[in-house]
Amino acid sequence: LIENTFIDDLKRRPIPVTSNLKVDNMLTTDSEVQRWNADGLPADKHSVQNGILTTSGNRFPLCIDPQQQAVSWIKNTFGEEKLTVKSLNENDFIKHLELAIQFGKPFLFENVGEDIDPVLDPILNKEISTENGNKTVALGDKVIDWDDNFCLFFCTKLSNPSYSPELMGKVTLVNYCLTREGLNDQLLNRVVCHEKPELEEQFSQIVDNMASNTNLLVAIENSLLRELSSAQGNILDNEDLISTLEQAKKKATEIKRKISEAQTAKEEINKARSLYKPVSRRGSTLYFASSGFSIIDPMYEMSLESFLKQFVGALDQADEDDSLEVRLQNLIDSCMQLVYDFTCTGLFERHKLAFSFHLACMVIDESGCFDSSALSAFIKGDTSLDPINEEKPHLASWMSDAGWKDMLFFSQLNDLFLNVKNDFVKRVADFKTWYDLEAPEETDLPGNFCAKLSSMQKLCIIRAIRPDRSYNAVKLFVAKELGESFIQPPMIDYRRIYRQSSPQNPTLFILSPGADPQLDIQNLGEELGFTSPNRFQFVSLGQGQGHVAMEVLEAGRTRGNWVLFQNCHLLISWLKDLDKVLEEMKNPHKDFRLWLTTEPTNQFPLSILQKSFKVVTEPPDGLKLNMRSTLSKIDEDLLEESQHQSFRPLVYALTFLHAVIQERRKYGKIGWNVMYDFNESDFSISRKLMALYLTKAWEDGDESMPWGSLKYLVGDAMYGGRVSDDMDRRVLSTYLNEYFGDFLFDTNNKFFFSRDGFDYSLPVSRINTVEEIRQYVETFPLTNSPAVFGLHPNAEIGYFMSFTNDLWHTLISLQPRTGDTGSGLSREEQIYNTATDLLSKIPIIKSDIGSFDVGAVRNELMAKNGGEQPTPCQVVLLQEIELWNALCKRMSSSLILLKKALDG
């Protein structure tokens, strides 16, 4: 505001203005900023201004600090002044606050929520009274002495808190949310420390020395001023003073020389450190891509500490190379893959592709060649209510009106889109052929446009012509920009989860319908020697279970046990106590692990979410990924459950059946009439039953397979036990008859589960190892037609449109709320114009009537009926008119209020 508006206005007046005027320099000094940086405050301009507001404001600061940077900096800066740290949840905070006020010590409230205890109002308002020369203030039912050196800080982990206007008038809100520039510097320090530790150590020493020397220089200058101000008589006759001045001058000259040398050395080191900036920039991109998803669902909240742990781990795992260029690329690739895997482990399936696409867009934007207007056009389309100014070609009746409107909107963005639109009008038949393809996104557009259109621009054309294929087109876009591994989320590997866990950070399982990770955690514990009930204890939370859980937690923390708290969403009130215990827990046993399970809820404590390693238990999307997930939980020991030669092929057939049954759910009523919660337990028990019956047949020497028993147990008892609809049961029985039979092993007529787009068959040999089966599944295509499941190809149109709309909605939510709108208008101006446009299109007579006068319409109908009362059909019409009027009045009043709010 000052640099871009105020100073320019002064120059136009014209009013003399200091060149290179910086308010920061008026409110602080270089020495003070250097000391802040040494205490942990980032060196970027935004952070320095936050430091000024925090230390120099008239009101006490309330720091919005989701990454805990302000808390760390305040503790380091004021630690030597006997800083007291408390939270509003502690019972004794008033007693400690009294002492801090009386003795003029700093005081910090951390983990503040959206409300502050009213007992602090006299402190916040500085309602100070003076009696007999002593300053006093009321705190609760006491009146205590006030020391002007007292300073108070509030810090909250909430990234977007909603505070009352009264509270905002009492404090100074300071936004400590991480900036990209500040994070770049932090990550660069981590990278250089990892790659060149001696260089980073030298850099840190130089920064510390410069800070101390600058402070010493300021101290000398202040000392000289004191000596001069206290000198009496003629200064030239004061030999002691002149001697002191000469010594101070020599010291100041020496210190300035050291600072100058240090600055030169710092610049040289910065040149060497800058070689690693591509890695820190990519790390910054990854953090903001991952942390931004907390907007979509608060369960996705992630702390900077968790990210840094993954980032440093990725640096450790990167392949070594003598070439710096190759090494940098290895570091970037390792960070990309590890952070992607870490983030996707905690995302629901419906959001994983949105994350990959969002990350791909941010990576392209990092290179400086991103078309933001094309992205906005793809995810929003034409949002105006204006009628189209060009009729759709009569031969293009197959194209939706919304698609044609989008096409006209795209043609206004640039000449390339305009050429596509003109070519579409001339070659409707060619585009109709492309439109009719089952997977048009994999085929070039008619004409020679693919070579000219960027990948993002092609997505726009697909949105206009075949919006249902946008979902798969986004997958191809991500695969092209980042690689196929970024559209294949990692499977849930409990051993990997254990390796990434720690005694200080709980592992939080976010449950989907029908999922229960207890058995998998218990099996992992048994493998590692944590058996129930001695070293693995679990509590199903509910009313009255809080004290039991606390006792189990305390025992596990001290003895090194595993503790599992199930269904945390059923005892939300107790989680605040758990949060407090986790905050205060210091040096737990190295073997201690805390596992939590919960359904998604907005009330889950933020601090637990931030420090937790989150795992979403949900079947992956796609036949290949689903089978890969199931096979990841099978090892050679499980395949040795039966010696029958047909057991391994049947386990594979059961895996295929399990994936098909789950994949049909995404097609809604076309897949199953009722949404059933098929899960891993169905597969696991079915496999055990197969092993039992095949082992019995092998021991008895039966040559025939017990197909009838297997089909009944798997199809009717296990999976069929969940099926309540007769037609769904019929479909399930058909699958069993199709997949289970002697035809599986017919060498003369090879069996295929499906041949649509790929030959889905049994692995070649009956004695395949688990690894060979997994490698065979890896040959499957990532996407498959509904025909693989026995459905018509058009069955996926509704499914893809639903997923595509969800994808667009998610991406719109992730877009920044500020910045250039592309039209030269601010965001507020664009919203105001849109509201005005919408208001002009609402058909309303008066604000208290709506679109139609119901009384007049009723009289008109009665007149038509010859004075008789309205007929039943006319009564329904009147009711609909009343509802329509209510809608129009609500829309009109809301838009009027919005415009008033924008006007202030």
Side-chain angles (χ1 to χ4, degrees):
L1 180 64
I2 292 177
E3 295 177 1
N4 299 330
T5 305
F6 179 66
I7 294 179
D8 290 343
D9 183 60
L10 292 178
K11 290 179 179 177
R12 284 194 301 269
R13 298 265 176 200
I15 297 175
V17 182
T18 302
S19 59
N20 298 323
L21 175 65
K22 293 186 182 297
V23 179
D24 302 5
N25 297 337
M26 300 167 61
L27 299 175
T28 187
T29 62
D30 290 341
S31 62
E32 192 171 20
V33 171
Q34 298 238 6
R35 181 168 56 83
W36 289 350
N37 296 155
D39 289 336
L41 185 71
D44 60 285
K45 183 177 179 181
H46 176 75
S47 298
V48 172
Q49 291 175 351
N50 285 342
I52 293 172
L53 292 173
T54 302
T55 56
S56 304
N58 289 328
R59 292 174 291 184
F60 295 122
L62 171 52
C63 306
I64 301 172
D65 183 33
Q67 289 86 22
Q68 297 291 278
Q69 291 192 118
V71 167
S72 176
W73 171 65
I74 291 172
K75 288 180 179 178
N76 292 335
T77 302
F78 297 92
E80 295 180 356
E81 301 177 26
K82 297 183 180 180
L83 171 74
T84 303
V85 181
K86 290 289 177 179
S87 73
L88 291 171
N89 296 325
E90 297 183 46
N91 297 326
D92 62 343
F93 77 83
I94 292 183
K95 179 178 66 176
H96 292 276
L97 183 60
E98 287 179 10
L99 296 174
I101 295 174
Q102 291 173 343
F103 294 100
K105 301 299 181 183
F107 196 97
L108 168 64
F109 282 112
E110 58 180 357
N111 298 332
V112 174
E114 294 188 343
D115 298 306
I116 291 181
D117 197 320
V119 75
L120 299 177
D121 284 350
I123 309 300
L124 298 180
N125 294 328
K126 295 187 178 179
E127 299 174 359
I128 302 171
S129 303
T130 303
E131 297 180 5
N132 300 324
N134 294 327
K135 294 182 178 180
T136 60
V137 66
L139 180 61
D141 55 356
K142 294 183 180 179
V143 176
I144 59 176
D145 292 336
W146 174 276
D147 190 308
D148 288 334
N149 292 321
F150 167 73
C151 51
L152 178 63
F153 308 95
F154 297 91
C155 287
T156 177
K157 289 184 177 180
L158 301 176
S159 58
N160 189 23
S162 178
Y163 291 117
S164 65
E166 293 79 12
L167 178 58
M168 289 192 287
K170 299 172 184 175
V171 299
T172 300
L173 282 178
V174 186
N175 183 10
Y176 273 90
C177 289
L178 201 60
T179 63
R180 187 177 289 270
E181 182 182 354
L183 182 58
N184 279 343
D185 292 340
Q186 291 188 52
L187 295 182
L188 182 60
N189 293 340
R190 300 277 180 146
V191 176
V192 176
C193 183
H194 183 274
E195 297 295 300
K196 299 286 186 181
E198 70 285 349
L199 189 66
E200 185 62 21
E201 183 179 357
Q202 186 180 357
F203 180 78
S204 300
Q205 288 178 353
I206 289 176
V207 171
D208 292 341
N209 291 337
M210 287 182 66
S212 61
N213 286 329
T214 305
N215 290 330
L216 184 58
L217 185 61
V218 172
I220 291 174
E221 292 173 351
N222 293 335
S223 175
L224 287 176
L225 291 175
R226 270 197 311 273
E227 293 285 346
L228 290 172
S229 62
S230 61
Q232 297 179 355
N234 190 345
I235 297 176
L236 298 177
D237 296 336
N238 192 335
E239 296 181 359
D240 292 338
L241 177 60
I242 293 175
S243 176
T244 302
L245 290 174
E246 289 177 351
Q247 292 177 5
K249 182 179 179 181
K250 290 179 181 179
K251 287 183 180 179
T253 304
E254 179 65 19
I255 290 173
K256 286 181 180 179
R257 183 184 61 79
K258 289 181 179 179
I259 292 176
S260 177
E261 291 176 353
Q263 184 64 36
T264 303
K266 182 180 176 182
E267 292 175 358
E268 291 297 324
I269 293 176
N270 273 331
K271 289 180 181 179
R273 295 172 82 247
S274 65
L275 297 174
Y276 295 93
K277 281 187 176 181
V279 182
S280 64
R281 281 198 300 268
R282 183 58 54 86
S284 177
T285 298
L286 287 166
Y287 173 77
F288 284 103
S290 302
S291 62
F293 264 69
S294 60
I295 298 173
I296 308 301
D297 192 321
M299 298 299 290
Y300 295 157
E301 192 70 46
M302 181 180 68
S303 68
L304 178 61
E305 181 184 357
S306 298
F307 172 79
L308 290 176
K309 182 179 178 181
Q310 301 302 317
F311 183 77
V312 174
L315 299 180
D316 293 334
Q317 295 181 19
D319 294 336
E320 298 287 345
D321 199 282
D322 294 335
S323 170
L324 178 61
E325 185 177 352
V326 176
R327 173 61 177 168
L328 292 177
Q329 190 59 49
N330 290 343
L331 291 170
I332 291 174
D333 293 343
S334 178
C335 291
M336 287 281 290
Q337 193 63 56
L338 193 66
V339 174
Y340 170 78
D341 291 348
F342 173 76
T343 305
C344 279
T345 301
L347 297 181
F348 288 103
E349 284 296 321
R350 63 182 180 273
H351 293 145
K352 289 180 179 177
L353 183 60
F355 171 67
S356 297
F357 182 74
H358 183 56
L359 177 60
C361 291
M362 292 186 70
V363 168
I364 299 172
D365 188 36
E366 182 188 314
S367 64
C369 54
F370 184 63
D371 188 353
S372 58
S373 62
L375 171 64
S376 178
F378 170 63
I379 63 178
K380 297 178 182 177
D382 185 5
T383 57
S384 71
L385 299 178
D386 299 327
I388 58 176
N389 54 17
E390 182 178 345
E391 291 297 325
K392 181 172 62 177
H394 68 279
L395 294 177
S397 57
W398 45 268
M399 186 181 189
S400 68
D401 293 337
W404 175 246
K405 189 178 180 182
D406 284 343
M407 179 74 82
L408 294 178
F409 172 69
F410 298 155
S411 66
Q412 299 173 9
L413 297 178
N414 57 52
D415 293 339
L416 193 54
F417 279 129
L418 179 62
N419 294 336
V420 174
K421 190 267 292 183
N422 293 335
D423 195 60
F424 174 85
V425 174
K426 296 175 184 177
R427 305 172 59 181
V428 174
D430 292 339
F431 278 88
K432 177 63 166 63
T433 303
W434 183 81
Y435 169 88
D436 288 333
L437 295 174
E438 186 174 334
E441 69 278 3
E442 298 177 3
T443 310
D444 291 344
L445 286 167
N448 190 27
F449 287 107
C450 278
K452 302 175 183 177
L453 291 171
S454 67
S455 299
M456 186 65 72
Q457 290 170 336
K458 186 178 180 182
L459 288 179
C460 295
I461 302 301
I462 293 173
R463 175 192 173 109
I465 302 177
R466 281 292 301 272
D468 59 297
R469 303 305 299 181
S470 295
Y471 186 75
N472 274 348
V474 166
K475 284 187 175 181
L476 296 177
F477 173 86
V478 174
K480 178 182 177 183
E481 299 296 337
L482 301 181
E484 282 201 2
S485 61
F486 290 89
I487 53 175
Q488 301 182 51
M491 301 299 104
I492 296 180
D493 182 354
Y494 285 87
R495 294 178 184 84
R496 176 177 64 86
I497 292 171
Y498 173 71
R499 289 194 299 270
Q500 291 184 296
S501 66
S502 68
Q504 293 81 11
N505 302 102
T507 301
L508 175 64
F509 289 86
I510 306 172
L511 304 178
S512 59
D516 185 6
Q518 178 189 343
L519 182 61
D520 294 307
I521 298 173
Q522 203 163 344
N523 291 337
L524 176 66
E526 290 176 357
E527 287 181 23
L528 300 175
F530 296 88
T531 55
S532 177
N534 296 326
R535 300 211 62 192
F536 178 72
Q537 297 173 298
F538 55 90
V539 179
S540 183
L541 296 181
Q543 195 68 33
Q545 292 296 307
H547 69 282
V548 177
M550 199 62 77
E551 291 174 0
V552 172
L553 178 63
E554 181 60 26
R557 180 183 70 84
T558 55
R559 300 174 187 171
N561 298 337
W562 282 15
V563 177
L564 169 63
F565 292 151
Q566 296 175 284
N567 302 322
C568 293
H569 57 282
L570 300 180
L571 200 59
I572 290 293
S573 59
W574 176 79
L575 292 181
K576 294 181 180 179
D577 297 331
L578 175 62
D579 182 20
K580 183 178 178 181
V581 171
L582 294 177
E583 285 287 341
E584 297 175 353
M585 188 169 61
K586 306 295 182 184
N587 301 320
H589 195 284
K590 63 181 181 63
D591 292 333
F592 168 68
R593 292 294 186 276
L594 176 60
W595 312 83
L596 308 173
T597 71
T598 181
E599 291 183 0
T601 172
N602 293 335
Q603 299 176 335
F604 207 92
L606 179 65
S607 55
I608 297 181
L609 287 175
Q610 288 182 332
K611 66 167 65 78
S612 297
F613 176 28
K614 291 173 283 294
V615 181
V616 171
T617 55
E618 192 178 28
D621 176 36
L623 180 68
K624 174 181 178 178
L625 299 182
N626 205 309
M627 291 189 68
R628 182 200 285 174
S629 175
T630 304
L631 290 171
S632 68
K633 300 175 183 177
I634 296 176
D635 56 23
E636 286 296 327
D637 292 337
L638 293 180
L639 293 185
E640 295 293 339
E641 289 179 339
S642 175
Q643 299 299 316
H644 199 290
Q645 62 175 352
S646 300
F647 179 63
R648 290 175 181 245
L650 284 182
V651 169
Y652 176 85
L654 181 64
T655 304
F656 195 93
L657 172 70
H658 181 71
V660 168
I661 287 174
Q662 293 202 98
E663 283 296 296
R664 280 185 72 105
R665 293 188 301 186
K666 68 186 183 184
Y667 297 107
K669 295 292 184 182
I670 299 176
W672 299 106
N673 288 329
V674 180
M675 290 295 288
Y676 305 109
D677 294 333
F678 300 117
N679 56 46
E680 289 294 331
S681 64
D682 299 320
F683 173 84
S684 178
I685 298 176
S686 296
R687 190 200 72 244
K688 291 178 181 178
L689 289 171
M690 284 173 49
L692 177 66
Y693 275 77
L694 290 179
T695 298
K696 187 176 183 300
W698 179 71
E699 291 174 350
D700 294 343
D702 293 342
E703 294 184 2
S704 60
M705 294 279 291
W707 292 118
S709 299
L710 293 177
K711 290 178 182 179
Y712 175 78
L713 290 170
V714 175
D716 293 334
M718 291 313 306
Y719 289 95
R722 299 183 182 274
V723 178
S724 57
D725 184 83
D726 289 339
M727 298 306 293
D728 288 342
R729 187 176 294 276
R730 181 178 173 184
V731 170
L732 189 57
S733 298
T734 302
Y735 274 126
L736 267 295
N737 291 328
E738 284 288 324
Y739 294 169
F740 282 37
D742 289 326
F743 50 80
L744 287 172
F745 313 111
D746 189 344
T747 56
N748 296 321
N749 187 16
K750 187 176 180 180
F751 171 75
F752 294 96
F753 294 98
S754 172
R755 305 196 72 175
D756 187 87
F758 185 83
D759 290 342
Y760 297 94
S761 63
L762 280 173
V764 178
S765 170
R766 290 194 182 191
I767 55 173
N768 293 89
T769 64
V770 174
E771 190 57 37
E772 289 173 339
I773 296 174
R774 290 172 183 165
Q775 290 175 2
Y776 176 67
V777 171
E778 289 301 317
T779 63
F780 289 7
L782 273 174
T783 58
N784 45 266
S785 167
V788 176
F789 315 122
L791 299 173
H792 191 277
N794 287 348
E796 67 183 359
I797 292 178
Y799 155 73
F800 276 140
M801 277 308 305
S802 174
F803 265 68
T804 299
N805 288 328
D806 288 344
L807 175 68
W808 287 335
H809 178 74
T810 301
L811 293 172
I812 289 173
S813 301
L814 292 170
Q815 297 309 300
R817 296 292 185 266
T818 57
D820 185 16
T821 62
S823 58
L825 302 175
S826 68
R827 179 171 176 265
E828 288 74 16
E829 290 172 333
Q830 190 179 46
I831 293 174
Y832 191 93
N833 293 341
T834 303
T836 304
D837 183 44
L838 289 173
L839 195 58
S840 66
K841 291 181 170 61
I842 297 177
I844 191 167
I845 303 173
K846 292 182 179 180
S847 60
D848 59 335
I849 295 178
S851 298
F852 301 94
D853 188 335
V854 179
V857 174
R858 179 186 293 273
N859 293 335
E860 186 178 345
L861 292 175
M862 291 179 64
K864 287 184 178 181
N865 296 340
E868 298 292 332
Q869 292 295 320
T871 64
C873 187
Q874 291 171 340
V875 169
V876 173
L877 172 63
L878 291 172
Q879 292 173 342
E880 292 298 320
I881 288 176
E882 290 178 353
L883 293 173
W884 172 256
N885 282 343
L887 174 64
C888 290
K889 288 191 289 184
R890 181 61 180 269
M891 292 172 61
S892 177
S893 62
S894 298
L895 290 169
I896 290 172
L897 289 175
L898 176 61
K899 291 179 65 178
K900 288 181 177 180
L902 291 171
D903 284 334

